[in-house]
């Protein structure tokens, strides 16, 4: 039997290290649990997902993903929102992510870029928008997704438990 290769509707586990243009590590799974995602469903940035196709367990590679294939270009300006718009029990910090309702009711992610007194500055740009993403990837496992995973559009854990 040939070894499974990464293709649409497969659950893939990877270890990744993400560096910025300066070579500083922004994020890494190494030393912790690998990241799992459902291939072909937009669970990871498009440039990395495209590069994953056809890879097999044990494959290691590096790829640089430009902003357009990553978290997008920076657009628009951050908006100021009163602190009172947030729940009282939330300790607002730079980098926190919230979802606001868009025109069509879809949730839109926003990030806190600053807190000034009673004003909170929110930005629709991902913190890594405009950045070239330098990934080092190791493929840990590849398997076909279950019907339930395909229905949900994301992977479930080894015991089928899940965070939702
Ligand atoms: Zn699910």
């Amino acid at each position: 039997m040939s070894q499974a290769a990464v293709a649409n509707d497969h659950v893939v586990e990877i270890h990744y290290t993400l560096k910025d243009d300066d070579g500083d590590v922004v994020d890494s799974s190494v030393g912790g649990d690998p990241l799992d995602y459902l291939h072909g469903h937009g669970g990871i940035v498009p440039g990395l997902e495209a590069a994953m196709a056809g890879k097999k367990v044990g494959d290691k590679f590096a790829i640089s993903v430009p902003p357009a294939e990553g978290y997008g270009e920076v657009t628009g300006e951050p908006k100021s929102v009163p602190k009172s718009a947030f729940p009282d029990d939330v300790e607002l910090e730079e980098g926190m992510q919230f979802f606001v309702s868009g025109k069509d009711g879809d949730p839109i992610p926003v990030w806190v870029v600053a807190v000034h007194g009673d004003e909170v500055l929110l930005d629709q740009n991902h913190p890594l928008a405009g950045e070239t993403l330098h990934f080092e990837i190791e493929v840990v496992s590849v398997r076909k997704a279950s019907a339930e995973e395909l229905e949900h559009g994301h992977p479930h854990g080894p015991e089928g438990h899940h965070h939702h």
Side-chain angles (χ1 to χ4, degrees), residues 152 154 156 162 164:
H152 287 201
H154 55 225
H156 292 166
H162 200 258
H164 66 80

Side-chain angles (χ1 to χ4, degrees), residues 80-141:
S80 189
V81 174
K83 223 178 198 173
S84 57
F86 295 87
D88 286 342
D89 57 351
V90 173
E91 191 77 25
L92 292 164
E93 280 175 23
E94 189 185 325
M96 286 177 92
Q97 186 186 17
F98 292 91
F99 288 89
V100 297
S101 208
K103 279 182 198 140
D104 50 7
D106 286 343
I108 296 173
V110 294
W111 287 268
V112 174
V113 289
V115 183
H116 299 298
D118 288 337
E119 295 291 315
V120 182
L121 212 51
L122 291 179
D123 196 345
Q124 278 192 36
N125 293 294
H126 187 280
L128 290 170
E131 302 274 349
T132 298
L133 311 170
H134 304 277
F135 287 104
E136 290 161 23
I137 302 295
E138 179 178 359
V139 182
V140 176
S141 72

Side-chain angles (χ1 to χ4, degrees), residues 5-18:
V6 175
N8 284 351
D9 300 340
H10 282 60
V11 172
V12 184
E13 285 185 305
I14 55 172
H15 271 302
Y16 70 94
T17 296
L18 170 58

